[in-house]
Amino acid sequence: MKINNLGLLNSLSFIINSENPENTDYTLAHFILNNLYRISSVSIWEMTEECFTSRSAVRRFCLRLGYDNFSALKNSISKLVFPSDLRHRDIKAEPDYRIHIKNLVDEMITDIDEQITDEDINYLCELINQDVNVVILCANNTSGNALRFQQELMFASKVIHVISGSFTTNEILKLLHEEDVIITISASGKFAELSLEFVQSLKGHKFLITGNKAEKLKNSYDKTFYISKDGFSADYLGIYGKYGITYLLDLLSMQYLSLYT
């Protein structure tokens, strides 16, 4: 169930943003989010007591998120590295963080421009424009960019799917056909690594956007688009994951709109 780990925050956030506050799933999601810092020590007894619910309701909630039980859900949280957790950033190491980030973003944009050509952008546009299901798979920290991209394409009458949580229970993925298109976005490659076996089990043509040049990843996709010349397996400040993917998807949406509207 490792692939569900990197979409867990999205799954919990979706419940918080869409369910009735009086709904049991809302109550359980709210409790977990309020207790992330100590969730490894929370017992199912405490959860049922605090949320005024039953063990069976907790199990149904866990299954909805793609976990067999509460223990599996807890373990996934304790092992997660949340890219949105700013406590893991050593901002004191850089006295002028604004200048530091600006320099890194400038370097990153140059890096992406040198790797992703106009031909690559056009190729991706052609893929997306096909009369097939197009699915973007990504983790928590990339989903905002992907959802905005999804909405921009709607103005070109193209509806794609963005899946960033509860992957193993997603009905859209189960119904894909061989001619459909799956685009995995994973800046550091961590999500791509964890999702590799699952993605390969899906039907469809598979493409990867990443900064990770591991051969195993490259050989597992029909085509890989690299966003960095040297490649990397960690993006601790989220430069490529946050700003780089935004930049790339902006290029892609603008070109798609110019070609197909």
Side-chain angles (χ1 to χ4, degrees), residues 4-112:
N4 289 329
N5 296 359
L6 293 182
L8 182 55
L9 275 183
N10 277 357
S11 298
L12 293 171
S13 297
F14 175 80
I15 293 172
I16 289 294
N17 293 333
S18 62
E19 298 283 358
N20 186 318
E22 296 181 358
N23 184 285
T24 298
D25 281 0
Y26 179 97
T27 302
L28 292 169
H30 194 273
F31 177 83
I32 289 174
L33 290 171
N34 274 341
N35 291 277
L36 278 177
Y37 68 98
R38 67 176 194 94
I39 196 65
S40 60
S41 64
V42 173
S43 67
I44 192 170
W45 178 85
E46 179 184 352
M47 193 167 186
T48 56
E49 287 289 309
E50 291 292 329
C51 298
F52 302 100
T53 191
S54 64
R55 294 172 67 97
S56 59
V58 173
R59 186 170 188 275
R60 286 193 298 272
F61 172 79
C62 293
L63 289 172
R64 174 180 178 179
L65 298 177
Y67 298 91
D68 293 333
N69 50 54
F70 184 53
S71 293
L73 174 59
K74 283 202 308 178
N75 289 338
S76 74
I77 294 174
S78 64
K79 294 175 183 176
L80 280 177
V81 175
F82 291 122
S84 300
D85 190 345
L86 299 181
R87 294 174 301 173
H88 296 300
R89 298 187 182 185
D90 186 13
I91 59 176
K92 294 181 180 179
E94 298 293 337
D96 197 328
Y97 198 65
R98 175 179 292 186
I99 293 176
H100 180 56
I101 288 293
K102 180 183 182 300
N103 291 337
L104 289 176
V105 170
D106 288 344
E107 294 171 4
M108 174 212 65
I109 290 177
T110 299
D111 196 11
I112 291 176

Side-chain angles (χ1 to χ4, degrees), residues 244-256:
I245 298 302
T246 298
Y247 176 62
L248 177 58
L249 292 181
D250 277 348
L251 295 178
L252 187 55
S253 63
M254 289 300 294
Q255 181 66 354
Y256 189 92

Side-chain angles (χ1 to χ4, degrees), residues 129-199:
N129 191 52
Q130 296 180 83
D131 188 21
V132 298
N133 288 310
V134 177
V135 174
I136 290 180
L137 295 180
C138 58
N140 295 314
N141 57 321
T142 307
S143 61
N145 302 324
L147 289 170
R148 183 167 53 250
F149 176 69
Q150 177 191 44
Q151 294 166 9
E152 289 168 348
L153 291 196
M154 292 176 185
F155 291 98
S157 300
K158 180 63 182 184
V159 177
I160 66 173
H161 305 282
V162 174
I163 298 172
S164 57
S166 302
F167 303 93
T168 58
T169 59
N170 187 278
E171 293 299 323
I172 292 172
L173 295 179
K174 295 177 183 179
L175 297 174
L176 290 177
H177 298 93
E178 296 293 348
E179 67 271 19
D180 292 333
V181 172
I182 301 170
I183 301 174
T184 299
I185 301 178
S186 178
S188 69
K190 184 64 175 178
F191 173 74
E193 291 174 351
L194 289 176
S195 65
L196 188 56
E197 183 177 350
F198 175 73
V199 171

